[in-house]
Amino acid sequence: MSATRLVTPDDVPALTALVRDNREFLAPWEPARGEDYFTDEGQHAAVQSALARYRQGSILPCVILDESGQVAGRITLTEIVRGPFQSCHVGYWLSAAAGGRGLATTAVREICGIAFARLALHRIEAGTLLHNVRSQRVLERNGFTRIGVAPAYLSIAGRWQDHALYQLINPSRQP
């Protein structure tokens, strides 16, 4: 069974329930969110925007599925850049209940395979908060290499925070 699939409008109720139920759990790891984000309307708008950008080729928005096929989180390739760069970023989150079962590791492995085989990208970048050891382990288990620290990289939980940067180069393009 696949661990990921393209997000659809039918996922909105499940995503709304997940972000609402995991609001406090996810808050330290995500940008500050307005109240509308935690509603069906907010999730519908986010999904519709993501699918529009998907049709333009700039992102690949997916859901992460648990062992029973239920939506357990999101994983997205963003900032897909073509030309000589052939690169993207990956970001993901899981509900608190879905953590610790290898779902994130499997989802990252699967999305990297899509990025390299189907999208023919050269490189994937990821960033984690410096203290997000669990996410760093997910990346390292998937072959990502830490390439440095970016000071004040993203506004997370309402403040600019440093991030550890990781990258994975397409193994078929290694010299």
Side-chain angles (χ1 to χ4, degrees):
M1 183 174 125
S2 182
T4 66
R5 68 165 168 73
L6 186 67
V7 69
T8 73
D10 291 340
D11 295 319
V12 167
L15 290 170
T16 302
L18 284 174
V19 297
R20 191 178 295 142
D21 294 347
N22 289 275
R23 186 174 187 164
E24 288 183 33
F25 172 72
L26 295 172
W29 315 108
E30 293 199 328
R33 306 283 189 186
E35 289 301 316
D36 60 325
Y37 179 80
F38 302 95
T39 66
D40 281 331
E41 295 79 16
Q43 286 301 302
H44 181 75
V47 167
Q48 292 295 64
S49 174
L51 289 172
R53 292 172 45 212
Y54 166 71
R55 289 187 291 276
Q56 296 167 350
S58 64
I59 72 169
L60 177 61
C62 295
V63 290
I64 299 173
L65 305 173
D66 67 14
E67 302 86 353
S68 66
Q70 298 300 307
V71 175
R74 290 280 311 267
I75 186 166
T76 304
L77 297 178
T78 62
E79 308 303 325
I80 297 173
V81 177
R82 296 301 185 170
F85 198 40
Q86 296 295 328
S87 187
C88 70
H89 288 85
V90 65
Y92 50 91
W93 61 264
L94 278 176
S95 68
R101 300 193 325 240
L103 294 175
T105 298
T106 302
V108 169
R109 183 177 309 114
E110 193 169 291
I111 206 85
C112 289
I114 292 167
F116 293 148
R118 192 173 95 205
L119 301 178
L121 294 173
H122 169 69
R123 177 181 173 275
I124 304 169
E125 182 177 317
T128 73
L129 290 168
L130 297 180
H131 61 281
N132 191 346
V133 176
R134 290 179 71 175
S135 191
Q136 292 167 17
R137 286 189 183 134
V138 165
L139 295 170
E140 290 164 356
R141 279 192 293 267
N142 279 289
F144 280 75
T145 303
R146 186 171 170 153
I147 57 172
V149 173
Y153 185 66
L154 288 173
S155 179
I156 300 295
R159 61 188 179 89
W160 292 98
Q161 298 194 50
D162 299 349
H163 277 65
L165 298 182
Y166 288 79
Q167 73 174 7
L168 180 65
I169 303 295
N170 187 336
S172 70
R173 296 191 178 179
Q174 294 279 356

